[in-house]
Amino acid sequence: MFSSMEIALKAAGGAFNPIQLNLIRFFIGGVVLLPIALRALSKQQHHLTRSDWGLFFLTGFVCVIVSMTLYQLAISVDEASTVAVLFSCNPVFALIFSYLILHERMGRANLIAVVISIIGLIVIVNPAHLTNAVGLSLAIGSALTFGLYSIVSRWGSVRHHFNGIIMTCFTFFAGSFELLLLMLASHIPAVAGGMRQVSWLSQFAAMPILKNVSLNYFWLLFFIGVCVTGGGFAFYFLAMERSDVSTASLVFFIKPGLAPILAALLIHERILTNTIVGIVIILLGSVVTFMGNRVKSRESQLADQEATVPASDFQEATPQTAAAKLRERAEAHVKSSSTESTD
């Protein structure tokens, strides 16, 4: 679903204004996620408060208004395959923001992945022969701000005790509402007139809201809204709930390789040699990130098991016996660690 996103949006670009398409797809995506989100809220017995909606409007602004607007504009002026690859680097920016904002320690594997991914970006951008600086800048800006959104969303979900489905669903609704207000404001005569005086702002003057929303484009809008936006995010978070974050994040590791292939097959885009080399480098960085996350997850589970010592082991034990048991556990842990490192 995610790997076909840029292709579907590129195909719809001629019929819809880029901002209008953002509004439609995120509103539909929110509707698709709503039943799952409401069920999760019901299980938590939580009623949304003003503070919760403040968080959703913040994440909606960063995600829908800023990141996805840049993303949509990038698709309209650049190759779908290039935008797909560059956007897939957003986990790298998320790592950087987690270090800067949340002060999370960046492990060796993550640091190596960041360096490798940046090299891949430079190869794709090819500064010596820039052919579409605007498109590349918009795509990188979209990936950077989506990485920021990921960290703000994670911070908010922990603080408000929401899972990913709840955060994403109401972020979509809040962002859609904010986007609708901006689009309505663009119809104010004074605002529209001022925008038309500036060449790059003219396309945002009096933006259409329901233009071409008809049965003629039903299947296209259905695929973009229900399958790609709603379904893609739903499957992503359901995978996260049933496995772990590193397994679910495989979507961003598969996308750089699969999206250009789909673009070449479905809309006949030509893939440049430097783009192919950059994709391979970014995939390598993604593998390093994935392996690092798996190791970190395993170490975290092991630490939890070590910390949870059965009370029955020590309730009737003497201090000498308890010390011996702890020593045995420590030796077993050292042996298992050395065996894993040898393997």
Side-chain angles (χ1 to χ4, degrees):
M1 297 292 188
F2 274 131
S3 297
S4 64
M5 185 181 298
E6 292 79 12
I7 299 167
L9 295 176
K10 190 83 171 179
F16 300 94
N17 178 282
I19 311 302
Q20 177 196 15
L21 197 55
N22 251 6
L23 174 66
I24 294 170
R25 80 184 189 96
F26 281 108
F27 178 76
I28 295 175
V31 171
V32 172
L33 295 175
L34 186 59
I36 310 174
L38 291 177
R39 187 172 61 193
L41 283 173
S42 177
K43 285 182 179 180
Q44 293 181 2
Q45 296 183 337
H46 182 89
H47 297 283
L48 296 180
T49 64
R50 186 179 300 177
S51 175
D52 296 333
W53 280 107
L55 171 65
F56 297 141
F57 280 115
L58 173 61
T59 53
F61 177 81
V62 178
C63 176
V64 178
I65 303 294
V66 181
S67 180
M68 290 296 101
T69 296
L70 294 174
Y71 175 75
Q72 191 68 52
L73 293 173
I75 291 173
S76 66
V77 300
D78 207 342
E79 300 287 337
S81 55
T82 303
V83 177
V85 173
L86 294 177
F87 184 75
S88 295
C89 292
N90 73 80
V92 173
F93 295 117
L95 283 173
I96 296 172
F97 282 121
S98 70
Y99 174 75
L100 295 175
I101 298 174
L102 302 181
H103 306 294
E104 293 183 354
R105 186 178 64 85
M106 189 180 294
R108 182 172 58 185
N110 287 337
L111 186 59
I112 294 172
V114 168
V115 173
I116 292 174
S117 299
I118 289 174
I119 293 172
L121 280 174
I122 293 172
V123 171
I124 293 175
V125 172
N126 193 9
H129 300 88
L130 276 178
T131 55
N132 193 341
V134 174
L136 292 171
S137 299
L138 290 170
I140 293 173
S142 173
L144 191 150
T145 49
F146 195 85
L148 176 61
Y149 154 70
S150 300
I151 298 307
V152 174
S153 179
R154 188 198 305 174
W155 167 82
S157 63
V158 171
R159 185 171 180 178
H160 292 250
H161 308 291
F162 293 142
N163 65 15
I165 289 282
I166 295 172
M167 281 297 306
T168 304
C169 174
F170 292 103
T171 289
F172 284 3
F173 279 128
S176 298
F177 180 71
E178 291 171 319
L179 194 56
L180 177 62
L181 292 180
L182 290 175
M183 294 176 72
L184 291 173
S186 73
H187 287 263
I188 299 172
V191 176
M195 285 183 167
R196 291 191 178 98
Q197 300 300 316
V198 183
S199 58
W200 65 274
L201 279 177
S202 58
Q203 64 175 316
F204 302 113
M207 289 180 283
I209 297 174
L210 296 176
K211 180 183 177 183
N212 286 334
V213 179
S214 63
L215 290 177
N216 292 333
Y217 295 98
F218 172 80
W219 289 113
L220 181 61
L221 292 175
F222 178 86
F223 183 74
I224 292 172
V226 176
C227 299
V228 174
T229 307
F233 277 96
F235 288 137
Y236 173 71
F237 287 113
L238 289 172
M240 191 181 297
E241 289 178 5
R242 282 160 176 73
S243 54
D244 51 40
V245 175
S246 58
T247 301
S249 63
L250 275 171
V251 64
F252 290 114
F253 306 154
I254 297 170
K255 184 180 172 77
L258 184 58
I261 295 172
L262 292 176
L265 293 175
L266 298 177
I267 56 177
H268 311 293
E269 283 193 353
R270 188 168 60 92
I271 307 176
L272 301 176
T273 304
N274 66 296
T275 303
I276 296 173
V277 174
I279 289 171
V280 173
I281 294 172
I282 289 174
L283 285 173
L284 178 61
S286 298
V287 170
V288 173
T289 303
F290 176 70
M291 296 305 295
N293 288 339
R294 296 291 281 185
V295 170
K296 187 187 296 184
S297 176
R298 193 185 311 144
E299 289 176 349
S300 177
Q301 290 174 1
L302 188 60
D304 291 341
Q305 291 173 2
E306 291 295 326
T308 308
V309 180
S312 59
D313 287 358
F314 302 101
Q315 281 177 345
E316 299 178 359
T318 63
Q320 291 80 5
T321 308
K325 287 182 179 290
L326 284 172
R327 191 160 50 248
E328 288 174 6
R329 290 176 182 274
E331 289 173 356
H333 175 55
V334 170
K335 286 180 182 179
S336 64
S337 299
S338 62
T339 303
E340 287 185 7
S341 62
T342 304
D343 293 342

